[in-house]
Amino acid sequence: MKKTKIISLPDLNEARAKKDKINYIHQDIVYDEFLANFLNGKKYLIKTHGCQANQRDSETLAGMLDFYKMTSTDDPHDADIIIINTCAVRENAEDKVFGEIGNLKALKEANKDLIICVCGCMVLQSHIISKLIDTYKQVDLIFGTHNIPEFLNLLKQAIIENIRLVNVISSAGDVFEINADDRKDSYKAFVNISYGCDKFCAYCIVPYTRGRERSRLKEDILNEVNCLIKKGYKEITLLGQNVNSYGKDLYKDYDFSNLLEDVAKTGIERLRFITSHPWDFNDKMIDVISKYDNIMKYIHLPVQSGSTRILKLMNRRYTKQDYLNLVDKLRSKIKNLSLSTDIIVGFPNETEEDFQETLDLVDKVKYDSAFTFIYSKRVGTPAAKINDTVSDKEKSERFLRLVKKLEEYISKKAETYVGTIQKVLVDGFSKKNKNILSGYTEDNKLVNFKGDPSKIGKIIKVKIIESHTYSLIGEEVDE
Ligand code: SAH
Ligand code: SF4
Ligand code: F3S
């Protein structure tokens, strides 16, 4: 049995602390003879859970392994290194990861040389680390979201010393610009604009797993966008837990509206951004969105609850009325705006009246799409300390009632697309039918359609002939 060596363990208090100074570090991969010999020709598999922040991190990790001429595989039996990039946002996400790591035990027993790494948001929690160390002996390397820049060194150390290695720091690190990039797609890309979150919503673990908010330098963002455009990318999504607060930590008079405008001016064909927090959405941002045709008229604006009482307990910093006012303003200034949201059902002690407020808000906003979640208790967050009296059964019933209402509006909206011609960025073959292509409209509706596979990665016109709640059916039309 290998020995476990712990370099650093996570600590929620450290995660909470704001650093006085953030350093901006531009880092190239330094060629290492040992790794070159060891990794050359081997295969890796990266399994990514959670949000786009994790997807970007996985792309960076893939870039580091590609540097050493490794290739990726989808087959765990074929892999020499398996990396599980985890999400901690809800308990069911964590259960899935434990199941997956559990399944790797047999593989490790059959192949002692297999290296299993676990990273991402889950490991920023000390109770998860204990469980991994004690129960999941097949795991060789555990590293946190702030330890990604040193991944290759940690891997080397674990191999050379033949140990199980744990290095998870919690203190929000510096901003690293790592010259390692292996993007999943060749025509659409996520571009980080900020890391972490300063909002500390009472239910949410993200500020602890991703650290305090740090904006990237505008020059680095614009450089990245321009490089992507040169490579032929058609769509860029600016990424942050709260894009609207971009720059507050960094500049006096340059905010998200300025960045959005500068990125729009690069001429990228499609520009998107997620996630918007209602609190930081200002008029300048709305003006820029309406002014530029290449900024997609789709906003993901999580509301979480329609009850002002619950919003206050959630520490969301707006009331139901504030949110509705913002939606009215957005809709009046941005033509044909498509709106989506996130809603949590069953926050501790949510009453039927609170829930009715959420249903009422949905009636008023009539979302184009929505993500709904049942509240999940996260160790260490303020909401976890509240003694909750609402039963799971009640929460599940409310959840179903909410989904039913949302789906009525989503279906009705989807019907209005039938007969229209939509511009679709073609993603590839549909998951369910290999003869059908799929892609997204400008306002982020999924379309499955008959068309020419040579158009994958291009923006084409599709006539919509049928609608379902969560997708449209169409046919490619000639230019
Ligand atoms: N920064 C983004 C994304 C956060 S995580 C934002 O603020 O919107 C994505 C969604 O997960 C959240 O919007 C919220 O609806 C949901 N979520 C976060 N913590 C949760 C919890 N403890 N239980 C249930 N849902 C949660
Ligand atoms: Fe979590 Fe709130 Fe930050 Fe979103 S804004 S990541 S919900 S703390
Ligand atoms: Fe999950 Fe971490 Fe994203 S907790 S939602 S992967 S920031």
Side-chain angles (χ1 to χ4, degrees):
M1 184 57 63
K2 278 189 199 173
K3 269 209 229 147
T4 304
K5 181 168 178 176
I6 295 173
I7 301 176
S8 183
L9 287 174
D11 175 342
L12 290 192
N13 286 326
E14 259 177 54
R16 211 177 242 288
K18 187 112 178 156
K19 263 196 160 186
D20 294 337
K21 189 173 181 301
I22 301 292
N23 298 305
Y24 289 82
I25 298 165
H26 292 74
Q27 181 178 310
D28 285 326
I29 302 175
V30 182
Y31 179 82
D32 180 278
E33 183 98 31
F34 172 82
L35 285 176
N37 288 328
F38 187 86
L39 299 178
N40 192 347
K42 289 198 164 85
K43 291 188 178 166
Y44 67 86
L45 183 155
I46 304 182
K47 180 77 205 281
T48 310
H49 296 263
C51 69
Q52 296 83 356
N54 264 12
Q55 286 181 38
R56 271 306 286 136
D57 285 349
S58 287
E59 288 177 345
T60 303
L61 293 169
M64 290 177 173
L65 296 176
D66 289 350
F67 179 86
Y68 286 107
K69 308 224 164 10
M70 288 187 80
T71 50
S72 76
T73 173
D74 291 334
D75 179 2
H77 296 93
D78 210 21
D80 302 288
I81 297 181
I82 296 181
I83 303 177
I84 316 257
N85 196 355
T86 63
C87 170
V89 81
R90 282 171 293 276
E91 197 178 350
N92 53 7
E94 296 191 335
D95 290 346
K96 227 163 116 185
V97 165
F98 278 123
E100 210 169 85
I101 303 173
N103 288 340
L104 294 178
K105 194 173 176 192
L107 213 61
K108 178 85 178 188
E109 275 163 9
N111 173 13
K112 294 271 182 271
D113 293 332
L114 173 66
I115 299 171
I116 300 177
C117 311
V118 180
C119 63
C121 289
M122 261 171 86
V123 304
L124 274 279
Q125 307 169 95
S126 51
H127 66 281
I128 298 282
I129 300 271
S130 308
K131 191 165 163 181
L132 283 173
I133 292 178
D134 296 344
T135 326
Y136 294 84
K137 307 271 185 214
Q138 62 272 37
V139 177
D140 301 285
L141 173 60
I142 299 173
F143 61 100
T145 54
H146 306 307
N147 298 89
I148 287 176
E150 50 184 339
F151 164 62
L152 288 170
N153 286 339
L154 295 172
L155 183 65
K156 180 179 169 185
Q157 188 179 353
I159 298 165
I160 289 183
E161 294 181 25
N162 194 27
I163 44 166
R164 302 173 74 204
L165 192 58
V166 181
N167 194 5
V168 182
I169 52 168
S170 281
S171 128
D174 296 321
V175 172
F176 282 88
E177 300 291 338
I178 304 172
N179 193 6
D181 216 4
D182 173 12
R183 301 218 176 231
K184 195 172 138 274
D185 299 308
S186 55
Y187 53 92
K188 65 175 185 183
F190 293 114
V191 171
N192 286 310
I193 64 168
S194 60
Y195 302 101
C197 182
D198 268 359
K199 288 286 183 277
F200 289 96
C201 300
Y203 50 81
C204 186
I205 195 74
V206 171
Y208 307 92
T209 65
R210 290 269 157 196
R212 301 295 298 254
E213 193 169 83
R214 288 101 64 208
S215 298
R216 275 179 87 193
L217 295 172
K218 62 182 184 208
E219 293 79 13
D220 288 327
I221 298 169
L222 288 165
N223 268 343
E224 188 175 342
V225 169
N226 282 318
C227 284
L228 290 165
I229 293 174
K230 268 198 207 117
K231 287 182 187 159
Y233 278 75
K234 302 266 185 287
E235 181 179 287
I236 277 169
T237 303
L238 302 179
L239 207 62
Q241 295 300 338
N242 172 13
V243 288
N244 313 69
S245 66
Y246 172 79
K248 282 187 177 176
D249 54 332
L250 195 54
Y251 304 112
K252 252 206 203 115
D253 37 39
Y254 190 92
D255 71 3
F256 182 59
S257 66
N258 304 101
L259 180 71
L260 195 59
E261 180 153 32
D262 282 347
V263 178
K265 281 182 182 162
T266 61
I268 182 74
E269 283 185 59
R270 283 181 166 196
L271 176 55
R272 301 184 187 280
F273 51 92
I274 43 170
T275 298
S276 298
H277 191 296
W279 170 251
D280 293 304
F281 222 123
N282 66 31
D283 288 359
K284 264 168 53 196
M285 293 167 196
I286 303 177
D287 290 342
V288 172
I289 296 165
S290 64
K291 186 170 154 195
Y292 288 88
D293 286 343
N294 59 346
I295 302 182
M296 299 298 100
K297 308 302 181 237
Y298 162 77
I299 299 176
H300 183 57
L301 194 66
V303 67
Q304 313 301 359
S305 168
S307 155
T308 295
R309 186 185 83 85
I310 294 289
L311 286 170
K312 189 142 195 260
L313 292 171
M314 285 177 162
N315 193 27
R316 287 294 288 182
R317 305 160 198 231
Y318 53 84
T319 63
K320 178 188 186 188
Q321 197 52 51
D322 292 337
Y323 185 91
L324 289 172
N325 292 347
L326 176 61
V327 168
D328 281 349
K329 198 191 283 179
L330 288 167
R331 287 221 163 111
S332 69
K333 293 200 172 173
I334 305 169
K335 263 188 277 158
N336 296 323
L337 177 69
S338 181
L339 264 185
S340 68
T341 199
D342 290 347
I343 300 177
I344 298 174
V345 172
F347 185 82
N349 303 325
E350 179 193 66
T351 62
E352 176 60 25
E353 290 73 39
D354 291 320
F355 179 64
Q356 287 294 337
E357 294 282 343
T358 299
L359 293 181
D360 177 63
L361 180 127
V362 169
D363 279 329
K364 292 196 162 97
V365 179
K366 303 181 178 56
Y367 289 104
D368 296 79
S369 62
F371 300 90
T372 42
F373 312 103
I374 293 184
Y375 168 77
S376 170
K377 188 173 174 172
R378 305 287 70 208
V379 176
T381 60
K385 296 191 190 84
I386 307 173
N387 184 25
D388 189 4
T389 54
V390 187
S391 69
D392 289 350
K393 185 167 167 273
E394 179 81 39
K395 292 186 184 196
S396 304
E397 279 169 12
R398 282 183 199 160
F399 180 80
L400 294 177
R401 282 157 68 200
L402 174 66
V403 170
K404 188 164 171 275
K405 186 175 274 301
L406 284 161
E407 285 187 343
E408 280 167 20
Y409 289 112
I410 296 168
S411 301
K412 252 192 225 155
K413 177 67 193 282
E415 281 166 23
T416 66
Y417 286 76
V418 176
T420 63
I421 291 180
Q422 298 287 326
K423 284 187 189 154
V424 173
L425 174 53
V426 188
D427 268 326
F429 296 102
S430 139
K431 277 191 195 121
K432 287 187 194 144
N433 183 343
K434 292 285 163 231
N435 297 315
I436 295 284
L437 294 171
S438 78
Y440 285 87
T441 63
E442 294 198 326
D443 53 7
N444 218 29
K445 272 267 167 207
L446 175 63
V447 188
N448 293 310
F449 59 96
K450 281 194 205 117
D452 171 4
S454 73
K455 303 279 174 62
I456 291 172
K458 300 205 167 79
I459 295 171
I460 60 157
K461 287 187 179 158
V462 174
K463 180 164 186 192
I464 307 302
I465 52 175
E466 204 182 309
S467 73
H468 298 282
T469 310
Y470 294 108
S471 64
L472 304 170
I473 311 286
E475 283 169 354
E476 183 182 353
V477 289
D478 293 331
E479 288 294 309

CSV table of all heavy atoms in Angstrom, one decimal, residues 49-51 54 86-89 121 205-206 209-210 241, ligand 3:
chain,number,residue,atom,x,y,z
A,49,HIS,N,-17.2,17.2,-14.4
A,49,HIS,CA,-18.5,17.4,-13.8
A,49,HIS,C,-18.7,18.9,-13.6
A,49,HIS,O,-17.7,19.7,-13.6
A,49,HIS,CB,-18.7,16.7,-12.4
A,49,HIS,CG,-18.6,15.2,-12.5
A,49,HIS,ND1,-19.7,14.4,-12.6
A,49,HIS,CD2,-17.5,14.4,-12.6
A,49,HIS,CE1,-19.3,13.2,-12.7
A,49,HIS,NE2,-18.0,13.1,-12.7
A,50,GLY,N,-19.9,19.4,-13.4
A,50,GLY,CA,-20.1,20.8,-13.0
A,50,GLY,C,-20.2,21.8,-14.1
A,50,GLY,O,-20.5,21.4,-15.2
A,51,CYS,N,-19.8,23.0,-13.8
A,51,CYS,CA,-20.1,24.1,-14.7
A,51,CYS,C,-19.0,24.4,-15.7
A,51,CYS,O,-18.0,23.7,-15.7
A,51,CYS,CB,-20.4,25.4,-13.9
A,51,CYS,SG,-19.0,26.0,-13.0
A,54,ASN,N,-15.3,24.5,-14.6
A,54,ASN,CA,-14.6,23.2,-14.6
A,54,ASN,C,-14.2,22.8,-16.0
A,54,ASN,O,-13.1,22.2,-16.2
A,54,ASN,CB,-15.5,22.1,-13.9
A,54,ASN,CG,-15.1,21.9,-12.5
A,54,ASN,OD1,-14.4,22.7,-11.9
A,54,ASN,ND2,-15.7,20.9,-11.9
A,86,THR,N,-14.3,17.5,-10.3
A,86,THR,CA,-15.5,17.3,-9.6
A,86,THR,C,-16.3,18.6,-9.3
A,86,THR,O,-15.7,19.7,-9.3
A,86,THR,CB,-15.2,16.7,-8.2
A,86,THR,OG1,-14.4,17.6,-7.5
A,86,THR,CG2,-14.5,15.3,-8.4
A,87,CYS,N,-17.6,18.5,-9.0
A,87,CYS,CA,-18.5,19.6,-8.7
A,87,CYS,C,-19.1,19.4,-7.3
A,87,CYS,O,-19.5,18.3,-7.0
A,87,CYS,CB,-19.6,19.7,-9.7
A,87,CYS,SG,-20.9,20.9,-9.3
A,88,ALA,N,-19.2,20.5,-6.5
A,88,ALA,CA,-19.7,20.4,-5.2
A,88,ALA,C,-21.0,21.1,-4.9
A,88,ALA,O,-21.4,21.2,-3.8
A,88,ALA,CB,-18.6,20.9,-4.2
A,89,VAL,N,-21.6,21.5,-6.0
A,89,VAL,CA,-22.7,22.5,-5.8
A,89,VAL,C,-23.9,21.9,-5.1
A,89,VAL,O,-24.6,22.5,-4.4
A,89,VAL,CB,-23.0,23.2,-7.2
A,89,VAL,CG1,-23.9,22.3,-8.1
A,89,VAL,CG2,-23.7,24.5,-6.9
A,121,CYS,N,-14.0,21.1,-7.5
A,121,CYS,CA,-14.5,21.8,-6.4
A,121,CYS,C,-14.8,21.0,-5.1
A,121,CYS,O,-14.7,21.4,-4.0
A,121,CYS,CB,-15.9,22.5,-6.8
A,121,CYS,SG,-15.6,23.9,-7.9
A,205,ILE,N,-21.8,26.9,-2.1
A,205,ILE,CA,-20.4,26.5,-1.7
A,205,ILE,C,-19.3,27.1,-2.7
A,205,ILE,O,-18.1,27.1,-2.3
A,205,ILE,CB,-20.3,24.9,-1.8
A,205,ILE,CG1,-19.1,24.4,-1.1
A,205,ILE,CG2,-20.4,24.4,-3.2
A,205,ILE,CD1,-19.1,24.4,0.4
A,206,VAL,N,-19.8,27.7,-3.8
A,206,VAL,CA,-18.8,28.1,-4.8
A,206,VAL,C,-17.8,29.1,-4.3
A,206,VAL,O,-16.6,29.0,-4.6
A,206,VAL,CB,-19.6,28.7,-6.1
A,206,VAL,CG1,-18.6,29.3,-7.0
A,206,VAL,CG2,-20.4,27.5,-6.8
A,209,THR,N,-15.1,27.1,-2.8
A,209,THR,CA,-14.3,26.1,-3.7
A,209,THR,C,-13.6,26.8,-4.8
A,209,THR,O,-12.6,26.3,-5.3
A,209,THR,CB,-15.3,25.1,-4.4
A,209,THR,OG1,-16.2,25.8,-5.3
A,209,THR,CG2,-16.1,24.4,-3.4
A,210,ARG,N,-14.0,28.1,-5.1
A,210,ARG,CA,-13.4,28.8,-6.2
A,210,ARG,C,-12.7,30.1,-5.7
A,210,ARG,O,-12.0,30.8,-6.4
A,210,ARG,CB,-14.4,29.2,-7.2
A,210,ARG,CG,-15.0,28.1,-8.0
A,210,ARG,CD,-14.1,27.9,-9.2
A,210,ARG,NE,-14.2,26.5,-9.7
A,210,ARG,CZ,-13.4,26.0,-10.6
A,210,ARG,NH1,-12.4,26.7,-11.1
A,210,ARG,NH2,-13.5,24.8,-11.1
A,241,GLN,N,-18.5,33.6,-12.5
A,241,GLN,CA,-19.7,33.3,-11.6
A,241,GLN,C,-20.6,34.4,-11.6
A,241,GLN,O,-21.8,34.3,-11.3
A,241,GLN,CB,-19.2,32.9,-10.2
A,241,GLN,CG,-18.3,31.7,-10.1
A,241,GLN,CD,-19.1,30.4,-10.6
A,241,GLN,OE1,-20.3,30.4,-10.6
A,241,GLN,NE2,-18.3,29.4,-11.0
B,3,F3S,FE1,-19.8,23.0,-9.4
B,3,F3S,FE2,-17.6,24.2,-8.8
B,3,F3S,FE3,-18.9,25.0,-11.0
B,3,F3S,S1,-19.1,23.6,-7.4
B,3,F3S,S2,-21.1,24.5,-10.4
B,3,F3S,S3,-18.0,23.0,-10.7
B,3,F3S,S4,-17.8,26.3,-9.6
